[in-house]
Amino acid sequence: MTTTLRLAEQLISCASVTPDDASCQSIIAARLAPLGFVCETMVRGPEDFRVTNLWAKRAGSATGDQAQGAALLVFAGHTDVVPAGPLEQWHSHPFAPSHRDGKLYGRGASDMKTSLAAFVVAVEEFLAERPSTPLSIGFLLTSDEEGPANDGTVVVCQALQERGEQIDYCIVGEPTSVERTGDMIKNGRRGSLSGRLTVNGIQGHIAYPQLAKNPIHLIAPALAELVAMHWDEGNEFFPATSWQVSNVHAGTGAGNVIPGSIVIDFNFRFSTRSSPESLQERLCAVLDRHAPDYQVDWVLGGLPFLTPPGTLVNAVRDAILAETGLSTVLSTTGGTSDGRFIAKICPQVIELGPPNATIHQINEHVCVADIEPLKNIYRRTLELLEHAPHA
């Protein structure tokens, strides 16, 4: 059994359902401290939702002019996992790692405790060979990625920004691969803008529509127009912006009452071709024409970010090719990640992890054959970036 696999199993054994870290970060910090990392725990959030964050950094050993050009590479991720779901549907306990048919089973096996283990072992191996490396290395971990994400990575990034800490390169361990480790990386993510639309009408008896105003009828033409609207073309790295309705609420439950209002939840997943402001303006222009008595409560989940091919992308591509023979695909698809917060303080951010086919599912697992290549890719990326300049 490899060192990476043993550590992955140890982390899976911790029932770290958001926001409970369940000692995962303590396990990791105990491995990093002997390597020269200064480990800082930041606990944030209300008493009933305490979030644990870890910032660990090992400064490079370069001096003089070399020190001025030494870069900081950060490995980022989350120790929290989603709830296991019905235990009776699992073939083995979700927090008791088990093996079947060459696969490691357990909650977090893919998302993302295997990546965390691979991070740590890759750094251990790299520093064993290069104890005097000029490269500075950091770890940014949170127990609030699968939850509201209000007191996790965003808080650490704010603290680092206030201190003037410059991060040059960041690898987030999200499970990005499809069939084999390394076949896809995320070099950006779309933005997320949600809204709750309330359209007001006048409640009344369904037999006397002239005395009422049906908000469902008012909004129907606007919905048809919004569904058909072409928001943007996307670009080389991003698909076109998408607008989707997720929930519609109206009515009293009675069959003979025209409702007084309708509430609609929707979401934009948007590219760098659009801004939150432009999307809000265009949507409201449609509403103004069809149903002017309305209000929208907006929530900006995150702005899009993009790391074009350059120092980090090229290093990761070369590492994947050398370790697996795969020519990786760059992608910005999928949901949001904590990369959206890190991108505000780091110019080059990518995501790379194992295959994601079973994330958040019953019987989540990762192929054991995918684990060592992932660790080796991380280690080789460290080697390729060892003498990289500030981004």
Side-chain angles (χ1 to χ4, degrees), residues 102-148:
K103 301 179 178 66
L104 170 63
Y105 285 82
R107 176 58 85 221
S110 179
D111 189 15
M112 54 177 286
K113 293 183 175 180
T114 291
S115 295
L116 300 181
F119 282 165
V120 172
V121 178
V123 169
E124 289 175 336
E125 293 182 356
F126 173 74
L127 292 176
E129 292 291 327
R130 294 169 165 81
S132 299
T133 179
L135 183 67
S136 295
I137 305 171
F139 280 74
L140 197 171
L141 307 178
T142 184
S143 67
D144 183 27
E145 195 273 347
E146 299 290 7

Side-chain angles (χ1 to χ4, degrees), residues 114-334:
T114 291
S115 295
L116 300 181
F119 282 165
V120 172
V121 178
V123 169
E124 289 175 336
E125 293 182 356
F126 173 74
L127 292 176
E129 292 291 327
R130 294 169 165 81
S132 299
T133 179
L135 183 67
S136 295
I137 305 171
F139 280 74
L140 197 171
L141 307 178
T142 184
S143 67
D144 183 27
E145 195 273 347
E146 299 290 7
N150 294 327
D151 297 292
T153 298
V154 63
V155 168
V156 181
C157 288
Q158 290 169 352
L160 297 179
Q161 189 172 31
E162 291 169 1
R163 299 173 189 178
E165 184 78 70
Q166 179 180 346
I167 300 176
D168 298 286
Y169 310 102
C170 181
I171 299 175
V172 185
E174 289 293 341
T176 60
S177 301
V178 182
E179 299 292 338
R180 291 176 53 194
T181 287
D183 62 6
M184 178 177 288
I185 65 174
K186 305 292 185 180
N187 66 319
R189 293 279 188 168
R190 294 173 294 175
S192 176
L193 176 64
S194 297
R196 170 161 285 188
L197 166 65
T198 302
V199 177
N200 300 305
I202 298 175
Q203 183 175 313
H205 196 294
I206 205 164
Y208 299 94
Q210 72 276 14
L211 302 178
K213 184 184 292 185
N214 195 323
I216 300 175
H217 294 184
L218 293 174
I219 196 60
L223 284 179
E225 186 172 338
L226 291 168
V227 168
M229 186 170 288
H230 191 75
W231 299 95
D232 62 40
E233 298 285 348
N235 56 33
E236 178 185 0
F237 294 103
F238 286 94
T241 290
S242 167
W243 184 77
Q244 294 292 322
V245 171
S246 56
N247 292 289
V248 178
H249 308 276
T252 64
N256 60 351
V257 177
I258 293 172
S261 65
I262 182 172
V263 178
I264 298 172
D265 297 322
F266 62 85
N267 176 265
F268 287 101
R269 291 302 165 104
F270 62 100
S271 75
T272 50
R273 291 289 296 273
S274 293
S275 68
E277 294 77 14
S278 69
L279 296 173
Q280 290 171 347
E281 182 179 347
R282 292 179 65 189
L283 181 136
C284 289
V286 174
L287 297 176
D288 289 341
R289 292 197 305 272
H290 295 284
D293 188 3
Y294 72 90
Q295 63 259 14
V296 184
D297 296 316
W298 297 97
V299 176
L300 179 61
L303 294 170
F305 70 92
L306 176 68
T307 300
T311 304
L312 180 59
V313 169
N314 293 342
V316 173
R317 275 175 159 172
D318 291 346
I320 291 170
L321 183 63
E323 294 296 334
T324 68
L326 296 172
S327 295
T328 194
V329 174
L330 301 181
S331 173
T332 60
T333 59

